[in-house]
Amino acid sequence: MSTRSVKIGISGRPSEYEIKIGPGLLGGSGTWARKCLGKGAAKIVVVSNPTVFKLYGEQVTSSLQAAGFAVSQFLIKDGEVHKNFRTAESALKVFSEAKLSRTDAVVALGGGVVGDLAGFAGAIYLRGITFLQMPTTLLSMIDSSVGGKTGVNSAFGKNLIGSFHQPSGVLIDTATLATLPKREVTAGLCEAIKQGAISGKPLLDQTGDLLTLYGNEKDSALISNLGFQIPLRDLIAAQIAFKAQIVTGDERESSTRLDGKSRKILNFGHTLAHALEKVTDYKYFKHGEAVGYGILFAAELSKSLALLDEKSVNLLYDVVHRAGTLPALGNIDPQEVFEAFKFDKKYLSGSLQMVLLKGIGKPVIRTDISPAPIKAALKKLLRKWA
Ligand code: NAD
Ligand code: GLY
């Protein structure tokens, strides 16, 4: 099966990078890495976690070695809780012990946690070393591996410490999704729905069509089938092309931009998502699952402000429902969630910046929403979903 390729060129940067998408690509990861890094690169540290490394580490390591790289590993413990400074410091120690120079590279093999941490450590080691992404979750394929946001969580909040550090290439082996737990697939599908909702009907419909193929059974064996891999590859490529277009126009998420092409629109659904994650101590929801609810909250709020029609709201409920089962909202206290909005990154400037919709594919950023409609939209979602 042929592969898809999307190129990202950041304005003002001399080089662009390529994202390759298709099943089975990890087998050729060494040749690909050599092409991305050039002849001068000698050493690579693969950052991964034990779950992913057990599945794909040997294949990647031997392919990199066959391409002439000296390879070492740094495995972080599995889980969001390990995306922190302490782990980043341990990564730096391993890079230093491996004597990585600025012509060498760090490879992130795993989901968004591994990618964000490896990218951040790569951004600060020697003031920035080349890094490559090999994402293995749906969320990391369509979102976190693309666009250069890297970071760690800290006592100040989630993802508040980080750096923009673009990878030099992203290799997406879509076959790795066959081993991904079902809940993680659902979480990634919610992020895909988010990007569909802000991009427009074609991407939202393409996402919905894949959900139809995935069906109610959501059988992971289906993911390996060629008949599923082709539309999966094409959807991932289309999702990335959309994200690439936004990132290219506003790499650093300019704080003054509030237009419909600002990078901030990628935070659609994230105001509620971050609040839900916070009130449940980051233990109850997968990030993408919380985004699923966040999409519906933003849709309800948009409708209550006469921006979005009922038909579009219902369409979003339908696709989120079809993405899979989300953790129940029964024990969530709306007042607690409302208080947690204040911890949102977008609140740092003093007012809550909400990404809303005035139609599918028509995001708007609003800073003038009063508490009453926010509380009402939240209650409506809790009532309707129950
Ligand atoms: P994750 O990295 O925690 O991976 C989810 C789980 O799946 C983990 O247990 C992992 O070990 C396992 N896993 C990964 N690939 C697998 C595979 N192929 N087979 C079997 N198991 C596999 O979670 P995620 O959803 O990928 O990423 C979430 C993180 O991404 C969060 O920290 C979030 O803040 C970050 N994020 C960053 C950006 C960005 O732009 N940088 C965007 C969105 C999210
Ligand atoms: N995931 C949001 C962004 O990359 O900007």
Side-chain angles (χ1 to χ4, degrees):
M1 191 197 305
S2 62
T3 58
R4 292 272 176 269
S5 159
V6 179
K7 291 204 166 100
I8 299 199
I10 307 288
S11 50
R13 298 276 178 101
S15 58
E16 59 179 15
Y17 61 93
E18 188 186 25
I19 298 151
K20 278 187 87 171
I21 309 137
L25 294 183
L26 286 184
S29 51
T31 316
W32 170 81
R34 178 58 72 200
K35 212 173 132 206
C36 293
L37 301 172
K39 287 196 196 104
K43 292 176 230 121
I44 280 180
V45 174
V46 176
V47 179
S48 190
N49 74 22
T51 314
V52 178
F53 200 78
K54 195 167 166 212
L55 290 162
Y56 306 108
E58 203 180 305
Q59 185 184 25
V60 169
T61 303
S62 50
S63 182
L64 291 170
Q65 285 168 338
F69 296 104
V71 183
S72 38
Q73 295 99 34
F74 174 62
L75 301 191
I76 70 177
K77 287 187 186 148
D78 195 346
E80 183 74 39
V81 69
H82 302 292
K83 196 177 102 176
N84 58 34
F85 262 126
R86 214 164 344 117
T87 314
E89 200 176 358
S90 306
L92 296 174
K93 186 165 178 273
V94 173
F95 298 170
S96 169
E97 282 165 358
K99 297 190 171 40
L100 288 192
S101 75
R102 289 184 72 183
T103 50
D104 298 319
V106 171
V107 167
L109 174 68
V113 166
V114 164
D116 279 11
L117 184 120
F120 178 61
I124 58 177
Y125 179 75
L126 302 179
R127 297 195 181 86
I129 183 173
T130 308
F131 103 106
L132 302 174
Q133 290 263 24
M134 297 183 192
T136 60
T137 63
L138 182 57
L139 181 145
S140 59
M141 291 176 184
I142 62 164
D143 190 355
S144 63
S145 68
V146 178
K149 277 190 182 176
T150 72
V152 292
N153 305 323
S154 66
F156 322 125
K158 201 170 173 253
N159 290 334
L160 290 187
I161 306 296
S163 169
F164 289 97
H165 187 47
Q166 298 291 342
S168 295
V170 183
L171 190 71
I172 298 182
D173 184 340
T174 52
T176 59
L177 295 180
T179 54
L180 192 65
K182 210 186 270 190
R183 252 187 99 178
E184 300 293 349
V185 178
T186 294
L189 287 168
C190 288
E191 290 279 7
I193 294 166
K194 172 207 83 177
Q195 293 194 159
I198 55 173
S199 162
K201 274 280 278 165
L203 188 58
L204 188 60
D205 286 350
Q206 195 178 351
T207 309
D209 291 348
L210 192 89
L211 287 172
T212 306
L213 283 177
Y214 195 30
N216 292 332
E217 295 300 307
K218 308 210 174 329
D219 179 3
S220 53
L222 173 76
I223 296 181
S224 321
N225 289 352
L226 195 64
F228 191 78
Q229 277 289 325
I230 293 172
L232 177 66
R233 174 202 64 187
D234 292 348
L235 176 65
I236 291 171
Q239 289 275 345
I240 291 171
F242 167 68
K243 179 162 181 183
Q245 185 198 327
I246 300 299
V247 168
T248 303
D250 184 18
E251 184 203 5
R252 303 254 159 168
E253 200 171 305
S254 159
S255 52
T256 51
R257 275 186 64 173
L258 293 174
D259 59 276
K261 299 264 182 229
S262 153
R263 187 167 179 166
K264 291 193 185 96
I265 64 163
L266 297 172
N267 294 323
F268 177 63
H270 279 62
T271 306
L272 178 67
H274 288 149
L276 286 176
E277 287 179 280
K278 179 157 177 41
V279 301
T280 53
D281 237 354
Y282 300 95
K283 289 186 183 126
Y284 184 59
F285 296 100
K286 306 278 173 203
H287 174 69
E289 293 171 336
V291 169
Y293 285 125
I295 293 168
L296 302 179
F297 163 72
E300 292 287 5
L301 184 55
S302 305
K303 183 172 155 252
S304 77
L305 298 169
L307 293 168
L308 194 65
D309 60 24
E310 176 94 26
K311 197 171 147 220
S312 303
V313 177
N314 290 342
L315 173 65
L316 291 172
Y317 269 90
D318 173 60
V319 278
V320 172
H321 256 298
R322 291 195 294 124
T325 310
L326 299 184
L329 288 174
N331 293 326
I332 303 291
D333 175 355
Q335 187 54 34
E336 227 184 298
V337 174
F338 184 73
E339 291 301 319
F341 282 157
K342 294 186 188 137
F343 289 89
D344 198 282
K345 200 167 18 182
K346 299 174 285 313
Y347 193 80
L348 288 179
S349 55
S351 70
L352 197 57
Q353 290 182 354
M354 304 275 311
V355 185
L356 301 178
L357 287 181
K358 56 179 183 186
I360 301 297
K362 293 183 183 150
V364 278
I365 300 170
R366 296 275 297 258
T367 54
D368 59 342
I369 316 290
S370 57
I374 293 179
K375 285 183 184 169
L378 187 55
K379 284 192 182 144
K380 188 146 192 200
L381 166 66
L382 294 175
R383 207 172 45 241
K384 258 170 99 170
W385 193 268

